[in-house]
Amino acid sequence: GAVVSQHPSRVICKSGTSVKIECRSLDFQATTMFWYRQFPKKSLMLMATSNEGSKATYEQGVEKDKFLINHASLTLSTLTVTSAQPEDSSFYICSAGTGGPNEKLFFGSGTQLSVL
Amino acid sequence: QKEVEQNSGPLSVPEGAIASLNCTYSDRGSQSFFWYRQYSGKSPELIMFIYSNGDKEDGRFTAQLNKASQYVSLLIRDSQPSDSATYLCAVADNYGQNFVFGPGTRLSVLP
């Protein structure tokens, strides 16, 4: 299957710092990427849809000023958690679609964020 | 609101048995159906996809789709402890857009 790279895999930071997570599609171009968060033993929760060259679409209840998304190229989307707080600690996962009528979603390996 | 429903489990089966995971969806316009496996602490991994009614087999996995009844299932034959994971059902529309995930079913294969 297609490869989606996500970096870093783990981040520990102090409250108030900003954390950037990168998501790259390595062997295909992705006009759309998705960002999720997941708490332990809970379902995936879609945070936002990242569209190349335009503003991201955020799900209800997700603060766009808190979670900044940039999708500047067809292979890279970034999620920046601004002024991170302990309640932002979670597993963040990106996915990218291969496009076309039989589009499939492939996931990055995830980023475990721990805010102290 | 498009919905995808799964029994949260846990579903426990003995090693070597057949595990049957079910998923129902609300949008009749759905055309693409996927099963992902997620190990604890890891991200989901695509293991099966199906677009047409009927069965699709890949090794020990068989996906079954019935669009009239709006359900899709995943059968795992000869279940192994390494199959213990959460299985996510996902549904997309005609152009593979608007993926909607179910909450996942936790499978436990007992040695």
Side-chain angles (χ1 to χ4, degrees), chain A residues 48-109:
Chain A
T49 301
S50 171
N51 303 296
E52 187 269 334
S54 64
K55 291 183 179 180
T57 304
Y58 290 82
E59 296 299 303
Q60 191 173 9
V62 178
E63 300 175 59
K64 61 181 181 181
D65 295 330
K66 172 76 171 175
F67 300 98
L68 300 179
I69 292 173
N70 184 281
H71 193 158
S73 77
L74 288 172
T75 59
L76 174 65
S77 176
T78 61
L79 168 69
T80 301
V81 183
T82 61
S83 186
Q85 301 299 314
E87 57 266 29
D88 298 324
S89 299
S90 184
F91 190 49
Y92 291 87
I93 314 173
C94 72
S95 70
T98 55
N102 293 326
E103 180 175 32
K104 301 175 186 64
L105 272 189
F106 292 93
F107 286 83
S109 55

Side-chain angles (χ1 to χ4, degrees), chain A residues 6-23 35 79-93 109-116, chain B residues 41:
Chain A
Q6 186 173 343
H7 179 82
S9 58
R10 182 176 294 273
V11 179
I12 301 173
C13 68
K14 293 181 179 180
S15 293
T17 58
S18 292
V19 175
K20 179 186 281 190
I21 303 170
E22 291 188 349
C23 182
W35 288 96
L79 168 69
T80 301
V81 183
T82 61
S83 186
Q85 301 299 314
E87 57 266 29
D88 298 324
S89 299
S90 184
F91 190 49
Y92 291 87
I93 314 173
S109 55
T111 298
Q112 183 63 54
L113 172 63
S114 299
V115 185
L116 305 178

Side-chain angles (χ1 to χ4, degrees), chain B residues 20-61:
Chain B
S20 178
L21 304 163
N22 299 314
C23 170
T24 59
Y25 58 95
S26 64
D27 183 11
R28 283 197 173 274
S30 301
Q31 296 292 329
S32 304
F33 307 87
F34 307 87
W35 283 99
Y36 289 81
R37 177 178 62 199
Q38 185 177 22
Y39 291 114
S40 180
K42 302 294 184 182
S43 63
E45 172 193 11
L46 179 63
I47 56 172
M48 287 288 286
F49 56 90
I50 186 167
Y51 305 122
S52 303
N53 277 327
D55 295 359
K56 178 182 178 183
E57 187 175 317
D58 183 3
R60 295 187 296 113
F61 299 101

